[in-house]
Amino acid sequence: MDLKEKAIASLKKHASGDAFSRLPAALPKASVLIPLLLRHGKLHALLTVRSVNLKHHAGEVCFPGGKSESGDTDETHTALREAEEEIGLPSHTVQVICKLFPVLNKAGLLITPVVAFIESSFKPRPNADEVSEVFTLPLEFFTKEADHSCYPVPSVFGPTHSFMYTDPRTGHIHQIWGLTAALAVTVAALALGKKPEFELGFDLDDPASAFRDVLNRRLSKL
Ligand SMILES: Nc1ncnc2c1ncn2[C@@H]1O[C@H](COP(=O)(O)O)[C@@H](OP(=O)(O)O)[C@H]1O
Ligand SMILES: CC(=O)SCCNC(=O)CCNC(=O)[C@H](O)C(C)(C)COP(=O)(O)O
Ligand SMILES: [Mg+2]
């Protein structure tokens, strides 16, 4: 099997399917698209830098995505619609692999990660109202200790991972932390089938186990 096929097979083992598609409407929902691509024979991931003018998470690095809207048919639709709006990614060129287990953030939003392959030749057209920069980096970066640190305060997603990535193309240094880093380390470990050099803080065979308890507690309060 080649690199891409291996990654797809391994990610699909953790597909959440439609298990969370019929949760109460009272629970606000969002999706993120985790776009993977092949470049120079290696798996890469695409990330965005949020506009400094946004109300939430201004200037932070995150995956394309956003809140669910009433016209969205499911979580994947939300992720693809948002990616098209934010970086001009045409939905019909995207190969969706699977949805992963949804995570609850501090604000109570249920965020579904949707993993997909995009074309290596994709040229982002960032919507300046929401996105100030788009960059890609080797997925392997999220398994290495060199530019990684862990905040002493854990988040609802487990340990708070933080990475400093220097983009060789622009020289810009990007901090990737919190929810975005948690998703990136999870997808990197699963797609590459490789344990990170640092302590992950959760079981790679069952990455969702920690999130499941948090979600069940929240659901029991609705
Ligand atoms: N053209 C625009 N200019 C400024 N803000 C915009 C915008 N389009 C969307 N937004 C805001 O950007 C945030 C992210 O949107 P989305 O969920 O579609 O990704 C939302 O704000 P809030 O985070 O304050 O709700 C949304 O209101
Ligand atoms: C909660 C944290 O971990 S903050 C630390 C670093 N920042 C991040 O990881 C960004 C997390 N936020 C997001 O991905 C988005 O805001 C999201 C929750 C998907 C909602 O999308 P939107 O703001 O509407 O487009
Ligand atoms: Mg958004």
Side-chain angles (χ1 to χ4, degrees), residues 50 54-56 65-67 69 82 85-86 129-130:
R50 295 167 68 86
L54 285 179
K55 224 186 306 163
H56 298 109
K67 292 169 204 77
E69 287 177 8
E82 288 283 348
E85 284 172 16
E86 293 180 355
D129 288 334
E130 297 191 53

Side-chain angles (χ1 to χ4, degrees), residues 7-137:
I8 291 175
S10 160
L11 287 162
K12 279 196 167 157
K13 283 192 205 142
H14 298 272
S16 63
D18 289 324
F20 303 95
S21 296
R22 266 170 284 281
L23 293 177
L27 195 63
K29 296 178 188 70
S31 294
V32 290
L33 187 74
I34 304 185
L36 304 179
L37 62 154
L38 279 170
R39 200 161 271 174
H40 315 303
K42 280 185 165 190
L43 289 181
H44 285 64
L46 179 149
L47 285 161
T48 73
V49 181
R50 295 167 68 86
S51 157
V52 290
N53 301 317
L54 285 179
K55 224 186 306 163
H56 298 109
H57 306 289
E60 293 178 4
V61 171
C62 73
F63 289 106
K67 292 169 204 77
S68 165
E69 287 177 8
S70 56
D72 295 347
T73 48
D74 61 6
E75 297 89 344
T76 302
H77 185 184
T78 305
L80 294 175
R81 177 184 52 70
E82 288 283 348
E84 190 142 16
E85 284 172 16
E86 293 180 355
I87 59 168
L89 178 68
S91 297
H92 66 90
T93 65
V94 178
Q95 180 187 359
V96 173
I97 310 306
C98 63
K99 289 184 270 197
L100 298 177
F101 194 87
V103 294
L104 262 184
N105 74 357
K106 252 190 240 137
L109 252 186
L110 186 73
I111 303 156
T112 300
V114 178
V115 192
F117 268 90
I118 63 168
E119 292 176 347
S120 306
S121 58
F122 170 61
K123 296 271 179 296
R125 284 181 290 109
N127 168 353
D129 288 334
E130 297 191 53
V131 173
S132 63
E133 193 172 338
V134 177
F135 64 100
T136 60
L137 76 177

